[in-house]
Amino acid sequence: MSFRVLGTGSYAPPNVVTNDDLSQFLDTSDEWIQQRVGIKERHFSVNETAADMAAKAAQAAIENSGVDPEEIDLIILATITGETQVPSTACMVQKLLGLKCMALEINAACSAFDFALETVAGYFARGKVRKALVIGTERMSRILDFTDRGTAVIFGDGAGALVLEAGENYIDSVFYVEGNDEVIGCGLPVGNSPYYERGQEKKPLAYMDGQATFKFAVTAIVKDCNTLMERNGLTYDDIAYIVPHQANKRIIDFASKKLKVPDGKFTINIDKCGNTSSASIPMMLDDLNRAGKLKEGDLLLLPAFGGGLASACCLLRW
Ligand code: COA
């Protein structure tokens, strides 16, 4: 027993920031960003928290599913950009939705939505929950260094959510973790301990080695997708869509070429929302669902990768 998807929802804050807007204070250009990353614009929150955005995406998913919110027994939320360490963003979303259920959070950076799906599958397997909400939400603008053109132009804010019930549609998954704080990371502020030895702490802003990340990402997508194909006796003709983490359109294009899948099989929406980290896969799923592109029985691959370093891929039947 695992789960099946009953509904999807997403939310992006209304403040749209174009590449030209960023070029006002960063040494960059619309042409460079579109060519090297594939982003035209992204949404940056002015006053909405990761919890606020998550609650709106979750509300949309609940409406889309037709489920009575009282039946939701679990919220699993992925984020790295909550406002507080305690309470977790998951707890704040539970409050905003007016639910009484269990709520917990997962930090696996940009791969976290897949880690959340795997975790929720365990709850369904044990028969512990009737319905569950799985959410990815990120206010990336909260941790971006807006003086660093290598990272500031890539990310965006938003949230995506799925409502799930027990079923057999989560077919297989693969996970990889390689502890490494040099390629991608973000520190936390240090308090005022007189015992804390200063000088080793990381700045509380996102940092990234772009080229190392790029190589890791392409290798991970290819390896993880192929593993699931081989293990399940499938070919890419059997897959309706590959819904990857939206980090860079060139990463997706490279992986697509290496896997020799036809154009259009990899879905892309990074042009209008940037890299929203753990929110990118559920936001993309919601786009596809609301556009009527997903048919019952469609097989989907959800490859993800990012900080950790971590990568993951889930095979899901719609
Ligand atoms: N605008 C203009 N120029 C920029 C720039 C920007 N926003 N960012 C970097 N550059 C410059 C660099 O300074 C460098 O200039 P130089 O040749 O004068 O030194 C040049 O562009 C090439 O830099 P490089 O780092 O080789 O670019 P790149 O082609 O690797 O693209 C990234 C940079 C960050 C877009 C790319 O490496 C990338 O997308 N990596 C993966 C990032 C990612 O997916 N992160 C999320 C993981 S979940």
Side-chain angles (χ1 to χ4, degrees), residues 276-296:
T276 56
S277 190
S278 70
S280 81
I281 287 178
M283 287 176 83
M284 184 77 247
L285 284 172
D286 187 49
D287 278 3
L288 292 170
N289 187 28
R290 285 174 195 263
K293 292 188 175 167
L294 299 175
K295 294 190 294 296
E296 202 176 330

Side-chain angles (χ1 to χ4, degrees), residues 189-206:
V190 178
N192 59 4
S193 165
Y195 309 106
Y196 189 106
E197 187 182 3
R198 312 277 147 166
Q200 302 299 312
E201 67 273 26
K202 305 266 186 199
K203 267 201 304 187
L205 291 173

Side-chain angles (χ1 to χ4, degrees), residues 26-30 32-33 36-38 109-111 148-155 184 208-217 245-251 270 275 277 304-307 309-310:
L26 277 173
D27 182 12
T28 189
S29 66
D30 178 49
W32 193 94
I33 299 169
R36 302 295 263 262
V37 200
C110 298
S111 322
D148 174 14
R149 65 181 181 173
T151 49
V153 305
I154 288 177
F155 294 94
I184 308 174
M208 177 183 75
D209 174 342
Q211 289 191 7
T213 304
F214 199 102
K215 280 181 203 143
F216 173 73
H245 166 48
Q246 307 284 311
N248 181 328
K249 182 170 179 300
R250 280 199 304 138
I251 290 177
I270 190 173
N275 174 348
S277 190
F305 49 85
L309 297 171

